[in-house]
Amino acid sequence: MRFVIALILLVLAGCDKESEPKGQAQPASTAKAGASDKAEITLESANGMRASLSYTFAGQKAPSAPFADAQGQDVSLADFEGKPLLLNIWATWCAPCKAEMPTLDALAKLEKGRMHVIAVSQDLEGRAPVAAFFTETEVKNLEPYTDTDNALLTAFNNAIALPTTILYDSDGKEVWRVAGGVEWDDAEMAKLLRAAD
């Protein structure tokens, strides 16, 4: 029980419930945008909300932690190898997570066939709140993946805040990660996504 409470507090600390992105995320600096760069790059939306782009973990293999697909069957990130993968780790109680979800859904439609775009919810209640949110916001291109045991968070040593989105190449190796909400269907983000090609 203590572990669950500590985990919830850790995740809550990372999720900024007060601000939602209304504008578009733009790199504050493009000079450091090389895949080999280990520095963090600030992405700013028009309303001043910030996300952080990092190459710190570039080259690391995706964790093998299991999570559930829409039918409740166990899957892992290895099941998506063969194409680039954009993994979004989110929850329905996280305002920036919810704000970026329609643009992530639009990206899933744009990238269909070229890249896997998946969103894995950390909601402890499972698929019910995720399915309700997807219906309410008309998300149609994303499958309601769930991780009720927070196995993915544990695989990342509970060191990520929500939302975090990680780009993997077709071999399952990390290219970069973004901590914070952005608009995923924007041209600037499209350029960053090509780094997995």
Side-chain angles (χ1 to χ4, degrees):
M1 184 67 170
R2 286 170 135 176
F3 173 75
V4 172
I5 292 171
L7 181 60
I8 290 169
L9 290 174
L10 176 70
V11 172
L12 284 173
C15 181
D16 176 5
K17 294 183 180 184
E18 298 302 317
S19 60
E20 295 187 23
K22 292 185 177 70
Q24 180 47 55
Q26 301 292 331
S29 168
T30 55
K32 298 179 182 177
S36 63
D37 195 327
K38 301 298 182 192
E40 289 194 2
I41 300 162
T42 300
L43 304 174
E44 295 184 41
S45 64
N47 70 349
M49 184 176 174
R50 293 176 179 234
S52 177
L53 170 68
S54 174
Y55 293 92
T56 302
F57 303 99
Q60 287 190 8
K61 192 76 173 158
S64 59
F67 52 94
D69 65 14
Q71 292 73 43
Q73 301 298 310
D74 278 355
V75 293
S76 75
L77 298 178
D79 294 321
F80 299 93
E81 287 183 15
K83 289 182 186 176
L85 166 68
L86 189 69
L87 165 69
N88 178 268
I89 303 173
W90 73 294
T92 60
W93 44 260
C94 171
C97 301
K98 294 191 318 186
E100 74 175 353
M101 198 56 59
T103 65
L104 193 67
D105 185 56
L107 179 68
K109 183 176 182 179
L110 288 170
E111 295 293 337
K112 188 173 184 175
R114 195 197 75 77
M115 168 184 287
H116 297 290
V117 178
I118 67 169
V120 182
S121 165
Q122 300 300 296
D123 286 84
L124 300 178
E125 297 85 9
R127 280 189 306 281
V130 177
F133 175 74
F134 279 9
T135 298
E136 174 189 328
T137 56
E138 299 182 359
V139 168
K140 293 180 171 56
N141 302 292
L142 295 171
E143 185 171 330
Y145 291 101
T146 55
D147 180 18
T148 56
D149 296 327
N150 296 136
L152 279 176
L153 288 180
T154 302
F156 289 110
N157 298 316
N158 297 315
I160 60 173
L162 301 183
T164 291
T165 306
I166 303 172
L167 179 65
Y168 291 100
D169 65 18
S170 57
D171 295 323
K173 292 184 180 174
E174 184 168 331
V175 178
W176 49 250
R177 66 178 64 180
V178 170
V182 298
E183 292 187 17
W184 290 103
D185 57 348
D186 177 74
E188 288 298 319
M189 296 312 298
K191 290 178 192 173
L192 288 173
L193 291 170
R194 297 291 80 83
D197 290 345

